[in-house]
Structures are given as structure tokens and as C-alpha cells.
Amino acid sequence: MLVLAVDTATPAVTSGVVHLDRGRDDARPETVAARVLDNPRAHAEVLTPQILECLAEAGAAPTDLDAIVVGIGPGPFTGLRVGMATAAAFGDALGIPVHGVCSLDAIAADVHREHGTDHDLLVVTDARRREIYWARYSGGRRVEGPEVRKPADVPAEPSVRVAGSSSHVALFDLPAVDVQTPSPAGLVTVAADVLRAGAEPEPLVPLYLRRPDAVETANRRA
């Protein structure tokens, strides 16, 4: 099956076309085309052109897609909304399922695909306000998080490796793995089981983890 993968939960705008073998549970998703642009101010302008570029590079039309996978965060309100709304619009127009996955899980999947699951893993991304989004993984599975905290309040044992935003990875005295953002293949890896099973997607619910900064004037005065 041919899957469109999208993520805007980090400063990077990520999109790609990924091939997933329906008949082999052990087959890794294969990236056919991918685009990643680190520009937190251009999610809305860049994402759809990137998707069309990926389809063109893959030699595929939108109607060739079988499903869509989108990162649902955690991430900032505006950027996250762009990716999820775009994925939902494509899915609605094409009549194909849209599956949401935790963006931190996709980073962990990329680490585990390349480096195995022998060590526990901490994944951290920028939550602004001097905080981070984080989750911890053991044996390839999430065992804590996702949550938002100050870096000093995140539990990290010496045996744990850390991946994610490079500026926040550097705050931890831990072995670092150079995987900073979710890849299209990582996103599809997280959703692979439900994609192969043809399961109905869960409702797309963003992982904001805290309320947006913007509030109505009356509430702000109160």
C-alpha cells in the first residue's frame, strides 16, 4: 500500500510517500519520496507543495494513495493544526483513512529501526517556555509520557539514550542519537499494524498537553 505521511509537530515541515507491504508483518516501511524543511514559520505555505512534490517524485497521483498518517503531537497549537488539517482535508477529498500517531513515537521508531531496542530511550522536543515535550521508551514501547515539563524535572537514568531536538538533547548528560524529527517512514512504522489490518482510524485528536496562549479578551480580563 502507498501511504502519505505528514508531520508539523516540530519546527520541521515533514512529508513523504511511503510503501508498506500489506502481506509481511516484518517488512519495514520503505520511503519512496520525502521532504523535510526546518522552518517553523512556514508550515502552512510549505506543506501542500511538499506533498505534491513527493507524489510527483514517486510517480503517483493522489488517487494512488491508500491511507494517510499524520503526527498529532505533542506540539505547538498553530503548527500542529496545519499538519492535521491538511491530512484530514486530503483524506476527506480522496475518501481514504487518516491515522494519527504520536510524533514522539515516530522519532523513537526511527531510532529503534536504526539502532535497535537494547537501551531505554528518552525523546525530547521543544515545548517553548523553557519546557520540553518528552516520552520514555523501553524495548521499543512507550512506558512514560508524553508530558510537558522543564528539562530539570524530566527523569533520566544514566543508561538511557536521548534523541530529538538537538538544543534540548544537549541539556541531558546522556548518550545522544542524532534523530531530531519524525521521518515519513517512522510515522508509518508507528501505524503499520492498524494500516495492515485495515482498521478504522481513531478520531484525530491533537496532543497539545496545555492550553493555547491565545484567550478571549473577557477571559483574560477575568
Side-chain angles (χ1 to χ4, degrees):
M1 62 191 309
L2 206 60
V3 184
L4 173 65
V6 172
D7 187 272
T8 55
T10 73
V13 186
T14 299
S15 56
V17 175
V18 179
H19 177 263
L20 179 68
D21 192 330
R22 290 180 187 268
R24 291 183 53 200
D25 291 346
D26 61 340
R28 290 185 173 189
E30 298 178 0
T31 302
V32 182
R35 296 288 187 278
V36 180
L37 177 66
D38 191 352
N39 189 337
R41 299 179 180 275
H43 288 80
E45 294 81 1
V46 169
L47 183 56
T48 297
Q50 276 192 178
I51 291 172
L52 298 178
E53 288 176 8
C54 288
L55 287 168
E57 183 177 323
T63 51
D64 294 325
L65 295 171
D66 297 293
I68 299 172
V69 175
V70 59
I72 60 171
F77 179 80
T78 303
L80 191 54
R81 181 177 58 185
V82 169
M84 294 182 66
T86 301
F90 268 81
D92 184 62
L94 298 170
I96 57 177
V98 182
H99 296 273
V101 300
C102 174
S103 302
L104 302 181
D105 289 357
I107 294 175
D110 285 325
V111 173
H112 294 142
R113 278 162 53 95
E114 298 301 324
H115 302 280
T117 59
D118 294 337
H119 297 83
D120 285 1
L121 176 69
L122 177 68
V123 177
V124 298
T125 58
D126 185 12
R128 303 175 183 175
R129 304 182 191 173
R130 298 183 180 179
E131 294 179 326
I132 58 172
Y133 299 117
W134 70 277
R136 189 169 67 85
Y137 301 80
S138 181
R141 296 182 179 277
R142 176 161 28 105
V143 293
E144 283 188 88
E147 295 182 16
V148 57
R149 293 187 188 178
K150 294 186 181 300
D153 296 332
V154 175
E157 299 177 359
S159 59
V160 175
R161 297 176 300 174
V162 60
S165 166
S166 58
S167 59
H168 297 88
V169 163
L171 298 175
F172 295 86
D173 186 18
L174 297 171
V177 183
D178 189 19
V179 178
Q180 299 184 30
T181 60
S183 75
L187 292 161
V188 174
T189 297
V190 178
D193 288 345
V194 294
L195 288 168
R196 290 192 176 102
E200 285 292 318
E202 297 289 334
L204 287 179
V205 179
L207 288 171
Y208 292 133
L209 300 190
R210 64 186 178 206
R211 298 178 65 84
D213 293 332
V215 295
E216 295 180 8
T217 302
N219 290 339
R220 187 165 61 243
R221 287 174 179 169

